[in-house]
Amino acid sequence: MGRFQEVLRALNNLKLLAAIGRSGGDLSSVADLVDSFLDSPQMADCVRRFRALPGGAELMEERYPPLQPDIERLAQLAPETLGGRYARLITSLGYDPEFFRPRPTTSEAQWLTQRIATTHDIHHVVCGFGTAAAGESGVLAVTAAQIGFPAYVLLTSAGQLASFRLQIERFEAISSAVSHGHAIARQASCLAAARWEEGWEKPVSQWRQELGISDPADSEPYGLAAQLP
């Protein structure tokens, strides 16, 4: 039965990837893909890896709350701070600050999934990746490499394969961004285990120093600098 369930999951994942491709990255379709792994062996291994991180088990056991940002308050912070820059990004994208899909956080897999989903755009700010296709691939690659978050592993692999086979003009930028994300993942502390809410007022540069991000992507063609000068 386990093997049959995995075959069905793989087929469903292909359908979801096709929907994401057709929609250009519709957030609802991405959330469907993320949720499809909640009870999977891959997610169980992701939870194992996260619990083994310094502070990971503590965060998980206390069910540290998924992010619920007060964008208006954060927008009042200095532009070089994490909170100020995050608020500018959310505003520039035209996002509703509460756009995240609500999920229960009863199980460890549910909690980790929601924590990663709600803090994803903070990773853009701290790593310096833009929000166009290549930048998205780069920032997803960080979490995919650091803890094997299943949907992000699949999305980064599928993105490279799709561009290589169908849109070769996009392949160089996407593969470069993914490689950059892997390099950050190897150098830095795990972003998924950071307590961002306890340091909104800290400059992004200080966060990067503390996390070990010495080569952010801001100034790259897929970087955030052009989007948020």
Side-chain angles (χ1 to χ4, degrees):
M1 180 61 73
R3 180 68 62 88
F4 180 66
Q5 287 176 330
E6 283 306 301
V7 170
L8 290 179
R9 193 192 314 276
L11 291 172
N12 185 52
N13 288 343
L14 289 174
K15 289 172 58 179
L16 291 171
L17 285 171
I20 292 168
R22 287 193 301 270
S23 66
D26 174 67
L27 293 177
S28 179
S29 297
V30 173
D32 288 341
L33 180 66
V34 167
D35 286 345
S36 75
F37 282 103
L38 276 170
D39 61 347
S40 68
Q42 293 82 7
M43 190 63 202
D45 191 62
C46 178
V47 168
R48 176 193 64 80
R49 290 173 65 176
F50 182 84
R51 288 186 64 89
L53 296 167
E58 180 183 355
L59 277 169
M60 188 168 277
E61 288 167 6
E62 71 180 75
R63 293 297 191 268
Y64 193 80
L67 185 72
Q68 295 178 313
D70 181 344
I71 296 299
E72 290 187 5
R73 182 182 71 82
L74 296 180
Q76 304 305 312
L77 297 176
E80 71 272 10
T81 64
L82 176 64
R85 195 157 178 82
Y86 174 76
R88 286 181 62 204
L89 176 61
I90 296 300
T91 302
S92 73
L93 293 172
Y95 283 173
D96 178 340
E98 298 181 7
F99 71 90
F100 315 112
R101 172 178 290 184
R103 297 178 179 89
T105 55
T106 306
S107 73
E108 293 181 341
Q110 288 171 331
W111 175 85
L112 184 56
T113 293
Q114 190 66 349
R115 183 67 185 170
I116 289 172
T118 58
T119 57
H120 169 75
D121 289 311
I122 297 178
H123 296 189
H124 276 283
V125 171
V126 172
C127 295
F129 286 102
T131 60
E136 282 292 349
S137 293
V139 81
L140 293 177
V142 179
T143 305
Q146 287 190 325
I147 58 172
F149 189 60
Y152 290 5
V153 172
L154 188 56
L155 283 168
T156 53
S157 300
Q160 289 186 90
L161 180 59
S163 64
F164 181 70
R165 292 294 303 274
L166 304 173
Q167 294 177 303
I168 192 64
E169 71 279 2
R170 301 176 64 188
F171 178 68
E172 180 179 4
I174 288 176
S175 60
S176 294
V178 169
S179 177
H180 197 158
H182 286 162
I184 290 174
R186 186 175 179 84
Q187 297 165 356
S189 300
C190 183
L191 305 189
R195 296 176 180 249
W196 308 110
E197 298 91 331
E198 298 174 20
W200 288 125
E201 296 81 6
K202 287 196 296 191
V204 172
S205 59
Q206 183 178 341
W207 269 108
R208 287 173 174 172
Q209 182 178 13
E210 292 175 0
L211 290 166
I213 300 174
S214 58
D215 183 27
D218 298 89
S219 60
E220 299 293 340
Y222 45 78
L224 193 58
Q227 191 172 348
L228 288 181

